[in-house]
Amino acid sequence: MPLSRPAKLGSFLRAWLCALALGAVAAPAATLVQLSLNQMAQQSTAVVRASVVSSSASFTGSTIYTHYKLKVTETWKGTAPAEVVVPGGVANGYRQSFPGAPLLQPGTEYVLFLWTSKAGITHVMGLTQGLFNLAAPAGGALQATRVPAGETMLDAAGRQVQDHGLQMGLAELKAAVAQALGAAAGSLQ
Amino acid sequence: MSGMRRIFAVAAGLFAAALPGAAYYHFVHYLNAGNAVEKFDLNALPGQTVTFFVSESDPTVYSANDSFNSVLSQIRQATAVWNGVASSSLRVAFGGLENGSTLQNTPAADVVFEDLPPGLLGYGGPTSKASPVTGPGGTFIPIARSAVHLNRNLTLAPGPSYLETFFMTTVHEMGHALGLQHTFTSSTMSQATTRATTMSHPIDADDIAGLTVLYPAASASQLGSITGRITAGGQGVHLASVVAIRGGAGAVSGVTNPDGTYRIDNVPPGPYFVYVHTMPPDANICGPWNDANGGSAAQQDGCSSTSGNTVAPSGPVNSLFYPGTTNFTQAQAVSVQAGQTVTGVNIATAARAAVSVYDAGVYSYFANNTITVKPAAVNMNAGTGLVVASAAGLGANGQSPGLGVSVIGGSVTILPNGIQPYQATINGVPYTYVALYLGFAPGAQTGSQHMIFNTPNYMYVLPAGMYLTVKPPPAIAAATPNGDGTATITGTNWAADTQIYFDGLRATILSLNAAAGVAIVQPPAGASGQQSTLTAYNSDGQNSQFLQSASPVVYSYPNAPSPSVVSVSPASLPAGAEAAVTITVAGMTLTPGATVAGFGTSDIVVRSVFVTGANQLVANVSVAPGAALSNPDISIFSGFQLATATAGFQITPAVNGLPAAIPVLTNATPGLTGAYAGATVTVNGSNLSTANQALLVQVGGQFASVISASATQMTLQLPATLPPGPTTLAIYHGVLNAFPVEVNIDTPPATISAVQNANGAAVDALHAALQGAPLTISLAGFAPPTASIGTGNVQVSLGGVIFTPSQVVASGSQWQVTFVPDGTAPVGQAEQLIVYLNGRSSLPVSLPMALPNGTFTVSTGQ
C-alpha cells in the first residue's frame, strides 16, 4: 500500500467534510439536529442552573408531558421558568413512551438550555442536548456532563455527525455561554 | 435520554418462566407471571387495522418545491410499508386528515406537526393503558393511541418531504407508534447511526420479526425461532442484544430477560451465526419496566433506565459469536427450520468495563469525493473499493491497535494493509476514521454485507455496513410532458426494475428502456401548479438523490381547479353500521388504486374503495359499535390531489338490531376461491338474521338464494347471471334493512378442459393416473395468452395434496400445466383436481387415481 494513500485519502475526507450535500447522504432519518454550545446559548429563551424539586405528569391535548418543577439557583439568560416539560410519562391511567426523551431526577442539579414555545411550554433544547448533569467528583470541582444522544444528528448544514457527549467544568461552561451571548462571564447570574 | 448506567444488578428473582420469554425490542413490562408488551388490541380494531391520521394543522414552513400534498403522500407511503408485512395480522392504513377536536374512541395513531424546540425534529411512540389486560393471546398492555410528532418547519432536516430522509424518519417513528423500540441490526428500527434501510428497501428482516411478534399472522408459522441463555460469570445477563446473522440476508435479534434467557422469533429458515453484544451507551431504550406486584400505574417513570421503575441492564460484556468466540471462522452456525425452535444456543461471556466500540458507520464517495453516502454503496465494477468507517472507540490514538475488519459471506475482503487511519477535526471536535481498501472475490454477490470489527479485546458487528452494486447510482436527466397526460423521463444507470417517484408517489411506468435511459410514465395526479421532485430508485438500494439532491429534476403540474367534495351519500351512519358511501368530487380525477377516502375519525374504518367513475367513488366503511358521536371531516385523495369536506360526515347513535354485513364474499366450497356468479359464498356480520323473520338478500339487484343464516354469518348462492365487477349487496330481514355495501364479483374461474398422461391419452376410469407419472392439465379461461406466468404462481391440488407444477405454458387460447403426482398423492379413487393461479382456483374436476398396482375401481353409486 503506497505511503501516499493516507494523504490522498485525507484530501477525500477534507472535501467530504467541507461539502456534504444533505440529500446525498443516504443515511435515512434523524430526529435531532446537532446544536453547538453557541447555538444552544443563542437560540434558547433561558439558560439556568437548577435542581429538580418534584415531577408530575399530565395531558396537554393528546400528549402526556412530565412537568419538572425547578429550584433555580442561577439564571444565565432570560427569565427562569418555574418548570420544564419533557414529552412522555404516566397520567390518568395512561403511559406515553418516547424513546430518547430524558428523565430528570428530583434532587439532581442541572444546567438547562431551555426554549419556550408560543404556547408557553418550556422544553429542553434538542431533547437531551440542552441537559447537563452537575456532579462533583470526590473532592473536585463541579463538572457539567452531557451524555451522547442516541439518535444520529445532522448538523445545521445537514451533514451527518456523531454526538460524542460533552464534559467540562461548570465554570468553563458558564464562560462559554457568556462568550456565546457576548456577555462577560461574571455578568451571568 | 440520559445514558444507560451500568448497574451490575440482575433482577433474576423478578422473572421466572419455564421457557425463555421474548424480551424483545418492544415496550416491555415485567409482571409476576412473565412479560407483557405494549401493543394494539386487534379485537378493538375494526378489520384489525390501525389508521394513521394527519392533523389538519399542517407544517407552516416549506422548502421550495415542497408542499403539504407531498408530505401527505410520504405519510401514505410510510403506512403502506408497515401494512405490507405479510407475517403480521395488523393492518396499517392511511386515514387522511383529522380535526383535532373530533371525539374518537377507537385506537389509532396521529401524525401531528408542532413547534418543536431547536434541535428536535420529531419523535414518536405509543400511549398505552397503564395496566395490563389478558386476552386469548396472553397478557399485554393495550395501546390506546399512538403519535408521531414532526416539526412544522420542513426546511430543516430531515425535510424537505420529497427526500428519502424524511420518508425514512416517518417510517421509523411509525414503527415506534406500532410498538417497536430500537434495535441494533441496521434495520429501520435501528437508530440512524447504523440504519441501512432505504426507500427501495424500507424495512428489513428485524423490523418484520419485531412487528410479527406483536401481531402474528398464520404465515408466521413458516418462520423459526432460536432460544438460549447469555451468562457472565455464571449469572444471567440482562438486556443484552442477541443477533442471528448470515450473509445475504437481514439480521434478526432479540433481547435477554433478567435471567439471561432470550428468544429470537420469526427468523426466516436457514443457517445463522448468533452473537451477543451489549447495547451501546446511547441505546435510548424505554424500560423495561418492573410492573410486578402492581408497581406500574402509581409510579411516574420514563424511558431512562435510571427510572426507579425501570429494570436496569447488566453491565457490559464481551461480544461473542456462539459458541463463544470472537473469531468468525470458529463460529458455529445454527440451522433454523420453519415452525421449529432451535434451543440451547447459550453463550457464556465475561463482564468488561465498558463497550469499547459502537455506533459505527461506513461511508462511500461520489462526484469526485464531494458527496458521501452511508451505508457505503460500493460498485464492484468501478475498480477500486474504498470506504471509510467511523465509530465511537474506533481508531483511538491514530488507529485502534490491532484492528481487524472482515466481511461475512466472502464477497468482500480487506486488502493487505488495507486498514488505514485518518483523523479530522470538525468544529474543534476530533474525529478518527478508518479507511478500508476492499477487494472483491470472484462471483461476489451484490447486496448488503455484514462487517466485523475486531480489536485485540473487543468484537463489534455492523450488520449491513455496506452494500455491493454493479453500477453507479441512477440519475434523472429530464422530464417532459407528452401532452396526453404521460411524461417522458430520461436518465442514466437505470435497470429493468428502476422506479420513478414524483415526490413520495411512484409513477406508473408504461414503458422503460433501461439501456437507453428512457421511460414513458403516467405521473400521479398532481395538485394545481405542484412542483414535484423526481427521484429514480434502483433495487440495489441506490437512488438519484445520491448525486442530485442539491438540484433534482422537477416536474411542473399545470394549474387546475381546486378539488372539492360535491356530495356524500349517505352523509351519516349510526354506530355499528357497515355501509357503502358514495362520494362525488369535482376538480380532480379519481384513479383506481391511487384513491384514498378518509373519514377523519378512528371510529370509522374504510374497508375498501371502488372508483366507479372519474369523479365518483364508493367507500365501504365500518363504524365502530362504540363510536363517539361526532361530525368528522372527509378527505379524498387521488395521487396528490386532495378534496376535503369539513364536518362532512356524521356519526349518529347506534340502532339496536341493525344488520351489518362485512363486504367480503368468501367462497364456501372447500378448496375453491373466488366470489363469481353462481358460487356459494359466506358473508359475515352482525344481526344478519332474526328468528321468525324472512331473510332476503339481493346482489346486483338480483335475489340470491340464502342457504343458511345466523346472526353472524350467512351462506348464499350468488345469482348465475351476475356480471363481474363491483356491485351492491343488500339485506332485508324483515325488521330492519341493512345499509347496502359494495362487493366485488370475480370473473368466472378457469375450467379444466382435459387431463392427459405422458402418452397424450386422456385420463379416465380406464386410463387412471399413476403416482410418479406426469400429467398435463389443459385449462380454458386461465389467463390471457400473453400473460407471464411462472411455476411459482401456480399450484395443483389433488385430493387436497398440493403440488408445484414443472411447467406452465400457453397453448393457443388455453394454458397447459404439467405436474407429477408423487408418492404423497392419494390413490385408489377419484380425487378432486383443482389448479390455482396466484391463489385463485379453477373449477374442480374428478381425476381417477390408480393404485400402485395400476388398478382403479369405479365405485357404484358415486
Side-chain angles (χ1 to χ4, degrees), chain A residues 93-128:
Chain A
Y94 290 90
R95 177 199 315 271
Q96 272 188 359
S97 302
F98 297 113
L103 181 77
L104 281 65
Q105 296 287 357
T108 302
E109 197 173 19
Y110 302 91
V111 170
L112 301 111
F113 292 75
L114 303 172
W115 180 83
T116 301
S117 69
K118 296 174 187 174
I121 301 175
T122 300
H123 303 264
V124 177
M125 299 270 289
L127 204 61
T128 56

Side-chain angles (χ1 to χ4, degrees), chain A residues 5 9 12-13 16 19-20 23-24 26-29 31 33 63 93-96 100 105 126 128 150-152 154 160 162, chain B residues 1 118-119 121 127-128 130 168-169 173 182 192-193 195 197 296 301 306 359 365 369-372 374 390 422 435 437 546:
Chain A
R5 283 210 180 191
L9 173 63
F12 292 169
L13 288 180
W16 166 55
L20 197 71
T31 59
V33 165
T63 304
Y94 290 90
R95 177 199 315 271
Q96 272 188 359
Q105 296 287 357
T128 56
E151 295 293 328
T152 289
L154 304 180
Q160 187 165 322
Q162 281 183 261
Chain B
M1 128 183 180
L121 305 178
T127 302
S128 303
M168 296 309 301
T169 296
E173 299 301 341
H182 292 148
T193 314
R195 196 179 306 147
T197 47
S296 166
D301 51 27
T306 59
D359 289 357
Y365 301 89
N369 308 311
T370 60
I371 294 175
T372 68
K374 183 184 82 70
S390 74
Y422 180 75
Y437 292 84
F546 280 27

Side-chain angles (χ1 to χ4, degrees), chain A:
Chain A
M1 186 69 63
L3 292 175
S4 62
R5 283 210 180 191
K8 185 179 180 184
L9 173 63
S11 67
F12 292 169
L13 288 180
R14 279 194 287 275
W16 166 55
L17 295 171
C18 292
L20 197 71
L22 168 64
V25 177
T31 59
L32 301 175
V33 165
Q34 185 184 55
L35 299 173
S36 67
L37 207 52
N38 277 6
Q39 288 171 319
M40 284 201 297
Q42 291 165 4
Q43 297 181 28
S44 61
T45 56
V47 181
V48 300
R49 173 184 174 183
S51 56
V52 175
V53 175
S54 64
S55 66
S56 63
S58 60
F59 275 95
T60 300
S62 59
T63 304
I64 294 177
Y65 289 101
T66 299
H67 299 252
Y68 295 96
K69 298 291 185 188
L70 302 176
K71 179 182 177 183
V72 177
T73 53
E74 294 180 26
T75 303
W76 298 356
K77 178 185 179 183
T79 303
E83 68 170 25
V84 61
V85 302
V86 173
V90 179
N92 298 351
Y94 290 90
R95 177 199 315 271
Q96 272 188 359
S97 302
F98 297 113
L103 181 77
L104 281 65
Q105 296 287 357
T108 302
E109 197 173 19
Y110 302 91
V111 170
L112 301 111
F113 292 75
L114 303 172
W115 180 83
T116 301
S117 69
K118 296 174 187 174
I121 301 175
T122 300
H123 303 264
V124 177
M125 299 270 289
L127 204 61
T128 56
Q129 296 181 74
L131 186 68
F132 289 78
N133 281 43
L134 291 182
L142 273 175
Q143 293 288 311
T145 305
R146 189 191 76 191
V147 296
E151 295 293 328
T152 289
M153 296 187 173
L154 304 180
D155 68 10
R159 295 169 294 193
Q160 187 165 322
V161 295
Q162 281 183 261
D163 187 37
H164 294 265
L166 282 178
Q167 185 175 55
M168 60 179 66
L170 176 61
E172 183 184 356
L173 177 61
K174 191 171 183 178
V177 170
Q179 184 176 22
L181 297 177
S187 67
L188 298 183
Q189 296 181 17

